[in-house]
């Protein structure tokens, strides 16, 4: 009799719990699962996250995301600081883009992220702004004509091959600088500045590398 009562009570509890969830009174718990890196996308073979070489100026940067902000400043009408989640709340996109390094190696990766021009639009660049400068937590920087950002689908990626960027790959954000040499693909981005200085030189540019960094041209001045 006791066993029968317990069984009936358990069934009643499960039904009550299911009803509460279906009516929105309780939310079902979520069990996080590890991301799985994909090796192929729409029939195109992808490189691995591990196929990159370590060539950053100060080694891997480990960013504490709880106090991370992306500062967007300079010649803008509405300067802002974005949290990691606020950046990710912009419309996100996916695209396979090949990174070519001046050291002679390359990787073909499925990138997922947000368009830089959406962020720029949010802060409303001033009419005199013609250059966009990216800065990283390790002191690295590089720049582009603002027109390059506005006329192309240039992403700040937070995922690669379906997994969140690992620290060595630039977490939380790496620039997917299409048609540019790898030194323009800045990692660990934490600040964007709109400028009227088209001659700004970043880390490698100030050491003799091309300011434009176009793949169809020499990377050396």
């Amino acid at each position: 009799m006791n066993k029968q009562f317990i069984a009936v009570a358990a069934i009643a509890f499960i039904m009550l719990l299911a009803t509460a969830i279906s009516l929105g009174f309780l939310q079902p718990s979520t069990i996080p699962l590890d991301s799985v890196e994909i090796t192929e996308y729409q029939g195109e073979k992808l490189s691995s996250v591990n196929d990159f070489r370590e060539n950053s100026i100060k080694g891997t940067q480990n960013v504490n995301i709880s106090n991370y902000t992306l500062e967007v400043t300079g010649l803008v009408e509405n300067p802002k600081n974005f949290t990691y989640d606020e950046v990710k709340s912009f419309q996100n996109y996916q695209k396979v883009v090949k990174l070519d390094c001046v050291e002679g190696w390359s990787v073909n990766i499925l990138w997922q992220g947000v368009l830089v021009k959406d962020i720029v639009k949010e802060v409303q660049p001033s009419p005199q702004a013609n250059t966009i400068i990216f800065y990283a937590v390790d002191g690295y920087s590089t720049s582009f004509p603002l027109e390059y950002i506005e006329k192309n689908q240039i992403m700040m990626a937070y995922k690669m091959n379906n997994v969140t960027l690992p620290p060595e790959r630039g977490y939380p954000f790496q620039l997917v600088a299409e048609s540019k040499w790898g030194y323009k693909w800045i990692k660990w981005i934490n600040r964007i500045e709109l400028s009227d200085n088209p001659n700004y030189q970043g880390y490698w540019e100030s050491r003799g590398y091309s300011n434009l960094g176009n793949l169809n041209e020499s990377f050396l001045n």
Side-chain angles (χ1 to χ4, degrees):
M1 187 67 177
N2 287 341
K3 290 183 179 179
Q4 186 178 15
F5 175 78
I6 292 172
V8 171
I11 292 171
F13 176 75
I14 292 171
M15 292 178 64
L16 181 63
L17 184 61
T19 301
I21 291 174
S22 66
L23 293 176
F25 297 125
L26 291 175
Q27 295 297 320
S29 60
T30 300
I31 301 174
L33 300 174
D34 292 336
S35 298
V36 177
E37 182 184 3
I38 60 174
T39 59
E40 186 176 295
Y41 179 71
Q42 295 183 349
E44 186 171 1
K45 183 173 174 56
L46 301 173
S47 304
S48 169
V49 171
N50 299 316
D51 287 342
F52 291 76
R53 298 181 191 174
E54 171 52 52
N55 57 8
S56 54
I57 61 172
K58 294 183 180 178
T60 298
Q61 303 296 298
N62 292 285
V63 175
N64 183 351
I65 208 63
S66 64
N67 57 23
Y68 169 85
T69 58
L70 173 69
E71 181 184 3
V72 187
T73 185
L75 297 177
V76 299
E77 303 297 329
N78 188 25
K80 285 191 174 183
N81 289 335
F82 297 95
T83 66
Y84 177 64
D85 287 336
E86 286 172 339
V87 176
K88 289 176 63 182
S89 71
F90 283 90
Q91 176 64 52
N92 68 86
Y93 299 83
Q94 284 185 329
K95 190 174 186 179
V96 175
V97 184
K98 183 180 178 183
L99 182 156
D100 291 282
C101 183
V102 299
E103 296 172 346
W105 54 272
S106 63
V107 287
N108 204 41
I109 297 290
L110 172 64
W111 305 94
Q112 180 176 333
V114 302
L115 296 183
V116 178
K117 63 182 174 184
D118 287 348
I119 298 173
V120 170
K121 183 179 179 180
E122 183 82 6
V123 298
Q124 302 173 37
S126 302
Q128 63 268 38
N130 55 32
T131 301
I132 185 167
I133 307 170
F134 294 85
Y135 300 89
V137 298
D138 62 351
Y140 194 89
S141 68
T142 193
S143 67
F144 304 84
L146 183 56
E147 185 180 46
Y148 168 75
I149 297 296
E150 293 177 334
K151 292 189 174 182
N152 295 282
Q153 309 293 333
I154 305 304
M155 288 192 298
M156 271 184 14
Y158 55 84
K159 278 189 174 184
M160 56 191 302
N161 290 358
N162 205 41
V163 298
T164 300
L165 291 179
E168 62 271 19
R169 294 276 53 81
Y171 177 81
F173 299 108
Q174 171 167 13
L175 189 70
V176 181
E178 296 181 35
S179 74
K180 305 292 184 179
W181 286 108
Y183 66 90
K184 305 294 282 188
W185 293 54
I186 184 171
K187 299 180 286 188
W188 308 297
I189 302 168
N190 67 344
R191 184 158 69 96
I192 298 173
E193 178 187 355
L194 278 294
S195 169
D196 60 357
N197 178 16
N199 299 314
Y200 175 87
Q201 293 184 325
Y203 181 86
W204 283 113
E205 294 88 341
S206 65
R207 290 162 171 79
Y209 281 29
S210 165
N211 218 19
L212 290 176
N214 293 328
L215 279 177
N216 60 349
E217 301 171 355
S218 171
F219 61 87
L220 294 174
N221 284 325

